[in-house]
C-alpha cells in the first residue's frame, strides 16, 4: 500500500512591502516593553553621557530610567502641578523642568531637592533647555515670553516678548551658546541671538508649531505643526526647502536617528514615520496603540522610546548578533549516543553500515482527515480562523486537492448555517485575489449549485450571496473596462508602427514568371 502524501500547498508570490535595508534596520528591534506611567507622557530626553539614562516627564513626576531597567532609578516629585519638558544638560549632571505653576526647577541628577527655582513667568512653562555654555537656561511659557536665566545667580538675564501665542517648543544651538530658536502657536519660528535685543530671523510655518529639530550641522531646521513637517535652510535666511504631509493628524514630536541620516516624526494618528534625510521620502513606519505625544532615540539607535496619551511608555531595544547566536546555541540538539561512545571526531569506515531510524512524519490536521477520507472535516480544519486569516493559501490548497480528487462537492454539501457562513466569508474575501480566483470560482459555482434550493431561508446567507454577486459584477465590469483599454492600446501601437515596403521576389507567386518577365508584361496590361 502506497504511503499517504501530504497536501501540496502552492507557493504564491508574497504581496507585502518591499524589503529594503531600511526595513531590515528598523525592524531589528525586540518586542516592546510597556510601562504604565501616572499620566500622559509629554516628554522624553536621553542623557548624552553613558549609560544614557532617559528622563520621562509624565503628570507631576519625572522618572529617570536606566538603559534596560523597567523600574525608575530616580524620581523627581517636587512639583505642585503638571511637570513639563525635563531635559538633561550636556554633561548629564543637571536636569531642568518647567511646571504648570510657572516655576522652573533645576535638579541635580544625584539628588532629590531642587537646586534652583526660577520665578518670573506668569503662566505654565512648557519649554526648558540648557544652552551650550552650561550656565544658562532657556525657557518658553504660555505667557507668550521666552527668557534666558543665569544658573549660578538664579537670575533672569533677558526676556523676549515677540510671540503672540503660547510657546510650546524650543531648541538651543550646540555650536553657539548665544543662539536659540522658539516655536509658537502663532505659527511662527523665531531665531534669537542673546547679544541682540530682538529676533534675528522669523519663519512662518502656517500651523501651530509643536516641535523643533536642529540638524547637527545647524544649517537646517525642521519644524512640526498641524499635519506638516517643514525643513528650513538657516544659511539662506530661513528659506523653506521641503514641506512633508504624511500624517493624518497633528505631528507632535521629531527626532534624528541613524547618525543624522534618518529623521523620525510622531503624530496623534499613532504612527511614527522614518524619513531619508537626503530625499525626504518615507522609508519605514511604526504603528502604536494610542496617540503619540513624545519620542526619543538612544545614541546609535539602541532604543526607541515612545510616550502616549494613554499613559503607556513603550520601549524597544535593538537586537544584537551575540544574543541571536546565544539563542541558537541553546536550541542546538545535544550530542547523540554514538558521539558519547565513539567520540566527537569519529569518521565512518568504508565497510561500516549505518542503520538510520525512520523519520516520523507529522501531518497537519487537514491532512490527517484527508488520510481518513473525511473530506468535510478536512475542509473544516482548513477553515479555522488563524489559518484562513493568516495563511489563506493553505485553505485554497486543500480546496484544490479536494477538487483534484473529485470530492469537493461532497465536502461542501451538508453544512449548517454557521459553517456555510464561514465558507462564504472566506470565498468573498479572497475571490478577487488573482492567486486564488480560478480555484475559488469553481468552489463558488458548486456552492450555488448545492444550496440554490435553500436560498431565502436564512437572512445571513442571503446577505452574503448578494455581497458575492456584487463583488463578481464589479469585477466583471472592471475586466470589461480593462479589455477596452487594451483594445485602445493595441490600436495605438498598430498605428505607431512604421510600414516597410516588401521587396519583390525573383519569381512571381501568382503566375510563376521571373521578375524580368513580369516587368515586361506590365505595359501590355496598362495598354489594354
Amino acid at each position: 500500500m502506497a504511503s499517504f502524501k501530504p497536501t501540496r500547498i502552492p507557493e504564491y508570490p508574497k504581496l507585502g512591502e518591499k524589503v529594503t535595508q531600511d526595513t531590515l534596520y528598523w525592524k531589528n528591534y525586540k518586542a516592546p516593553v510597556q510601562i504604565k506611567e501616572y499620566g500622559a507622557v509629554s516628554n522624553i530626553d536621553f542623557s548624552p553621557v553613558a549609560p544614557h539614562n532617559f528622563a520621562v516627564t509624565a503628570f507631576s513626576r519625572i522618572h529617570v530610567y536606566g538603559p534596560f531597567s523597567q523600574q525608575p532609578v530616580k524620581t523627581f516629585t517636587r512639583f505642585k502641578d503638571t511637570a513639563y519638558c525635563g531635559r538633561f544638560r550636556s554633561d548629564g549632571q543637571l536636569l531642568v523642568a518647567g511646571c504648570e505653576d510657572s516655576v522652573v526647577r533645576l535638579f541635580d541628577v544625584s539628588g532629590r531637592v531642587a537646586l534652583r527655582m526660577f520665578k518670573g513667568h506668569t503662566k505654565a512653562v512648557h519649554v526648558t533647555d540648557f544652552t551650550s555654555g552650561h550656565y544658562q537656561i532657556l525657557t518658553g511659557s504660555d505667557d507668550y515670553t521666552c527668557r534666558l536665566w543665569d544658573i549660578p545667580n538664579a537670575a533672569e538675564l533677558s526676556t523676549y516678548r515677540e510671540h503672540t501665542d503660547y510657546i510650546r517648543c524650543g531648541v538651543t544651538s550646540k555650536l553657539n551658546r548665544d543662539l536659540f530658536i522658539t516655536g509658537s502657536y502663532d505659527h511662527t519660528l523665531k531665531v534669537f541671538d542673546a547679544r541682540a535685543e530682538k529676533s534675528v530671523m522669523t519663519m512662518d510655518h502656517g500651523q501651530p508649531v509643536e516641535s523643533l529639530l536642529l540638524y547637527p550641522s545647524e544649517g537646517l531646521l525642521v519644524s512640526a505643526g498641524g499635519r506638516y513637517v517643514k525643513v528650513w535652510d538657516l544659511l539662506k535666511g530661513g528659506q523653506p526647502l521641503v514641506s512633508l504631509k504624511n500624517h493624518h493628524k497633528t505631528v507632535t514630536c521629531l527626532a534624528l536617528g541613524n547618525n543624522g541620516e534618518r529623521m523620525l516624526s510622531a503624530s496623534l494618528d499613532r504612527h511614527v514615520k522614518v524619513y531619508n534625510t537626503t530625499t525626504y521620502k518615507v522609508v519605514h513606519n511604526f504603528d502604536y496603540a494610542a496617540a503619540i505625544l513624545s519620542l526619543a532615540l538612544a545614541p546609535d539607535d539602541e532604543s526607541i522610546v515612545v510616550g502616549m496619551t494613554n499613559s503607556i511608555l513603550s520601549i524597544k531595544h535593538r537586537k544584537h548578533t551575540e544574543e541571536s547566536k546565544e539563542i541558537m546555541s541553546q536550541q542546538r540538539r545535544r550530542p547523540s549516543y554514538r558521539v558519547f561512545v565513539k567520540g566527537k571526531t569519529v569518521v565512518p569506515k568504508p565497510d561500516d553500515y549505518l542503520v538510520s531510524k525512520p523519520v516520523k512524519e507529522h501531518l497537519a490536521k487537514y491532512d490527517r482527515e484527508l488520510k481518513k477520507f473525511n473530506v468535510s472535516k478536512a475542509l473544516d480544519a482548513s477553515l479555522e480562523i488563524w489559518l484562513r486569516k493568516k495563511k489563506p493559501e493553505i485553505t485554497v490548497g486543500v480546496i484544490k486537492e479536494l477538487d483534484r480528487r473529485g470530492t469537493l462537492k461532497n465536502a461542501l454539501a451538508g453544512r449548517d448555517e454557521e459553517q456555510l457562513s464561514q465558507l462564504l466569508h472566506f470565498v468573498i474575501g479572497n475571490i478577487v485575489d488573482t492567486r486564488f480566483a480560478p480555484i475559488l470560482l469553481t468552489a463558488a459555482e458548486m456552492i450555488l449549485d448545492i444550496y440554490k434550493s435553500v436560498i431565502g431561508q436564512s437572512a445571513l446567507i442571503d446577505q452574503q450571496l448578494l455581497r458575492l454577486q456584487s463583488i463578481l459584477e464589479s469585477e466583471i465590469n472592471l475586466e470589461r473596462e480593462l479589455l477596452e483599454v487594451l483594445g485602445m492600446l493595441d490600436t495605438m501601437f498598430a498605428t505607431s508602427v512604421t510600414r516597410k515596403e516588401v521587396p519583390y521576389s525573383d519569381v512571381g507567386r501568382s503566375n510563376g514568371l521571373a521578375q524580368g518577365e513580369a516587368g515586361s508584361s506590365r505595359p501590355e496590361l496598362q495598354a489594354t
Side-chain angles (χ1 to χ4, degrees):
M1 182 178 179
S3 61
F4 177 81
K5 294 181 180 180
T7 305
R8 190 180 68 85
I9 305 300
E11 293 184 1
Y12 297 98
K14 292 183 179 180
L15 305 177
E17 60 180 2
K18 186 178 178 181
V19 178
T20 62
Q21 291 297 324
D22 284 289
T23 304
L24 298 174
Y25 182 84
W26 293 104
K27 278 193 172 182
N28 191 29
Y29 284 91
K30 302 176 185 177
V33 176
Q34 295 188 345
I35 301 173
K36 180 71 173 177
E37 289 289 341
Y38 288 90
V41 182
S42 60
N43 190 78
I44 303 167
D45 186 55
F46 272 90
S47 173
V49 181
H52 304 297
N53 296 339
F54 56 94
V56 177
T57 307
F59 190 46
S60 61
R61 303 177 180 217
I62 297 179
H63 289 156
V64 179
Y65 291 90
F68 300 101
S69 64
Q70 297 185 21
Q71 297 295 329
V73 297
K74 195 76 176 178
T75 302
F76 299 100
T77 59
R78 300 303 178 100
F79 296 96
K80 296 180 179 179
D81 209 329
T82 306
Y84 298 111
C85 199
R87 292 279 182 89
F88 284 102
R89 197 167 69 172
S90 59
D91 58 1
Q93 298 297 319
L94 298 179
L95 185 139
V96 65
C99 186
E100 187 71 28
D101 62 3
S102 76
V103 178
V104 180
R105 292 170 174 83
L106 180 69
F107 298 93
D108 185 351
V109 174
S110 59
R112 290 184 177 274
V113 183
L115 296 178
R116 296 282 190 276
M117 297 178 67
F118 303 93
K119 298 180 180 179
H121 287 289
T122 57
K123 290 186 178 180
V125 179
H126 283 264
V127 181
T128 60
D129 201 359
F130 291 93
T131 64
S132 57
H134 290 191
Y135 299 109
Q136 293 179 0
I137 293 174
L138 165 69
T139 60
S141 171
D142 286 355
D143 60 8
Y144 310 164
T145 67
C146 57
R147 309 185 186 213
L148 282 176
W149 307 82
D150 182 62
I151 295 177
N153 299 320
E156 181 181 319
L157 296 177
S158 54
T159 303
Y160 300 90
R161 306 178 184 274
E162 297 193 23
H163 286 292
T164 58
D165 208 333
Y166 300 156
I167 300 174
R168 290 298 174 89
C169 56
V171 62
T172 58
S173 169
K174 300 297 183 289
L175 304 179
N176 189 331
R177 65 180 184 180
D178 296 317
L179 290 180
F180 60 92
I181 307 166
T182 58
S184 170
Y185 277 10
D186 62 7
H187 302 186
T188 62
L189 319 170
K190 291 186 180 292
V191 182
F192 293 92
D193 190 333
R195 297 163 293 190
E197 295 182 355
K198 59 180 182 178
S199 61
V200 296
M201 193 184 302
T202 301
M203 293 152 283
D204 186 7
H205 181 82
Q207 300 284 337
V209 186
E210 298 283 352
S211 181
L212 292 177
L213 177 66
L214 197 59
Y215 273 62
S217 64
E218 301 193 354
L220 297 178
L221 174 70
V222 187
S223 61
R227 295 171 57 191
Y228 294 90
V229 176
K230 296 186 178 182
V231 184
W232 312 84
D233 190 343
L234 297 180
L235 301 180
K236 293 185 179 180
Q239 177 181 343
L241 291 181
V242 184
S243 179
L244 307 172
K245 189 180 179 182
N246 295 292
H247 288 281
H248 302 295
K249 293 184 179 180
T250 300
V251 183
T252 54
C253 47
L254 301 166
L256 274 180
N258 201 4
N259 298 322
E261 296 181 2
R262 297 293 180 266
M263 180 179 70
L264 287 79
S265 65
S267 167
L268 296 178
D269 62 6
R270 304 184 294 107
H271 294 288
V272 174
K273 307 284 185 181
V274 183
Y275 304 86
N276 186 327
T277 53
T278 304
T279 61
Y280 291 103
K281 291 183 178 179
V282 177
V283 296
H284 194 66
N285 180 65
F286 293 100
D287 296 334
Y288 286 88
I292 302 171
L293 291 179
S294 52
L295 165 72
L297 270 76
D300 299 326
D301 303 336
E302 287 296 317
S303 303
I304 300 177
V305 186
V306 168
M308 292 172 272
T309 54
N310 60 353
S311 308
I312 294 295
L313 182 70
S314 175
I315 308 170
K316 290 183 179 180
H317 297 292
R318 179 167 291 281
K319 297 177 184 176
H320 295 285
T321 54
E322 294 80 5
E323 295 179 4
S324 59
K325 288 180 180 178
E326 184 180 352
I327 294 172
M328 289 295 293
S329 63
Q330 292 176 358
Q331 293 177 349
R332 287 176 185 167
R333 295 179 62 185
R334 286 180 286 182
S336 60
Y337 174 75
R338 68 174 180 270
V339 173
F340 287 111
V341 174
K342 296 185 178 181
K344 189 176 182 180
T345 58
V346 64
V347 178
K349 297 177 182 179
D351 55 347
D352 283 349
Y353 180 76
L354 179 63
V355 180
S356 59
K357 296 175 67 176
V359 179
K360 187 176 180 181
E361 189 174 16
H362 296 279
L363 298 176
K365 186 177 180 180
Y366 52 85
D367 275 331
R368 293 198 299 269
E369 298 297 340
L370 282 175
K371 190 175 180 180
K372 300 175 185 176
F373 301 100
N374 296 329
V375 291
S376 183
K377 291 183 178 180
L379 183 58
D380 290 340
S382 68
L383 283 170
E384 291 181 357
I385 295 177
W386 71 273
L387 265 181
R388 69 172 186 256
K389 287 187 176 181
K390 299 292 184 181
K391 295 183 178 181
E393 62 272 11
I394 292 180
T395 307
V396 175
V398 173
I399 294 175
K400 186 177 181 180
E401 175 64 19
L402 292 171
D403 187 37
R404 186 189 69 82
R405 295 184 178 197
T407 57
L408 179 57
K409 202 164 188 177
N410 296 336
L412 295 173
R415 295 182 171 270
D416 57 18
E417 182 181 9
E418 183 180 356
Q419 292 174 332
L420 183 59
S421 176
Q422 289 180 356
L423 183 59
L424 285 173
H425 182 74
F426 177 78
V427 172
I428 290 170
N430 295 278
I431 197 167
V432 294
D433 193 327
T434 54
R435 303 173 299 170
F436 310 141
I439 303 165
L440 293 182
L441 281 172
T442 303
E445 289 177 1
M446 290 186 180
I447 292 172
L448 293 176
D449 187 36
I450 295 170
Y451 295 99
K452 62 183 179 182
S453 60
V454 297
I455 292 177
Q457 297 181 11
S458 171
L460 177 61
I461 301 300
D462 292 346
Q463 185 179 2
Q464 288 181 317
L465 290 176
L466 290 174
R467 173 65 177 158
L468 179 61
Q469 180 184 2
S470 65
I471 289 175
L472 291 176
E473 288 177 354
S474 62
E475 192 71 13
I476 291 170
N477 293 332
L478 182 60
E479 289 187 2
R480 285 175 180 169
E481 293 177 2
L482 290 175
L483 287 174
E484 292 178 2
V485 174
L486 185 60
M488 296 176 189
L489 292 175
D490 288 340
T491 306
M492 293 172 60
F493 291 147
T495 55
S496 63
V497 175
T498 57
R499 296 183 178 180
K500 296 182 179 180
E501 295 184 358
V502 180
Y504 285 102
S505 60
D506 292 339
V507 180
R509 293 183 179 178
S510 60
N511 52 13
L513 296 174
Q515 188 174 0
E517 295 175 1
S520 62
S521 64
R522 281 179 190 165
E524 296 177 2
L525 293 172
Q526 291 176 359
T528 58

